[in-house]
Amino acid sequence: MTQPFSPITRASSRRISKRLFWYVLKDFLLILSLCLAAFLTLFLIAALYDDLEDFVRQGVPATVTLRYFLYLLPDFVVAALPMSLLLAAMYTVAVFSKHNELTALRASGVSTLHAFLPIFLVGIVLSALQLYVGESIGPRARDMARQLHKFTEP
């Protein structure tokens, strides 16, 4: 036998539309890129503070110094990406809640899981990318940075 139509059951199974998917994704990616840029800038400033004096003291050319700091970026990305994802996800959900968009979504029958599916998908993709960078690109770049840092030794 078929079960009678239940508005509560039917409404909670409503899926997210393409427009809503792209709206959530756009807001999340904007905040994520800003957070990632901020964390990378902080890490780069700390590395400049620690290592730039050594390069200048030894008279290492600017191109070698620039390459050294570029080789440090994969490690910085691996360290900054989890913090950026967490902060961007929390901020996006907080803004949606602040502007009552989350309440409107829930009232229209869209589940929270479906509403924030873009955040979950971006998190999964970037976690896989972080694993790849951390296990293949990062070690090679770190070795290259160590070789360039040998120029600063007396």
Side-chain angles (χ1 to χ4, degrees):
M1 288 198 204
T2 61
Q3 293 184 355
F5 174 73
S6 171
I8 296 172
T9 307
R10 191 73 180 137
S12 64
S13 66
R14 192 174 287 174
R15 297 236 182 244
I16 186 172
S17 69
K18 284 184 181 180
R19 181 174 289 179
L20 183 59
F21 182 89
W22 289 110
Y23 176 71
V24 173
L25 184 65
K26 179 187 66 92
D27 282 359
F28 177 67
L29 288 179
L30 175 67
I31 301 302
L32 178 64
S33 61
L34 291 174
C35 289
L36 190 59
F39 282 121
L40 288 178
T41 302
L42 288 175
F43 287 146
L44 191 59
I45 289 171
L48 284 168
Y49 183 76
D50 288 341
D51 297 332
L52 188 60
E53 184 181 349
D54 298 336
F55 283 99
V56 172
R57 188 177 331 115
Q58 293 299 324
V60 177
T63 56
V64 174
T65 305
L66 182 63
R67 280 193 2 217
Y68 170 76
F69 288 109
L70 286 177
Y71 286 141
L72 292 178
L73 280 180
D75 279 340
F76 293 165
V77 168
V78 168
L81 197 56
M83 295 182 289
S84 299
L85 278 169
L86 178 64
L87 189 60
M90 289 172 39
Y91 185 80
T92 302
V93 172
V95 167
F96 271 66
S97 181
K98 177 184 175 189
H99 296 289
N100 293 323
E101 292 171 316
L102 188 57
T103 305
L105 287 172
R106 295 290 297 145
S108 66
V110 177
S111 72
T112 308
L113 178 65
H114 287 120
F116 295 119
L117 184 65
I119 295 174
F120 298 133
L121 294 176
V122 168
I124 290 168
V125 169
L126 289 181
S127 296
L129 179 68
Q130 179 189 9
L131 179 65
Y132 175 73
V133 169
E135 293 297 320
S136 64
I137 297 172
R140 284 187 269 152
R142 196 174 316 115
D143 289 340
M144 296 293 287
R146 282 189 193 126
Q147 288 176 0
L148 291 176
H149 197 269
K150 288 181 183 177
F151 286 120
T152 65
E153 296 173 357

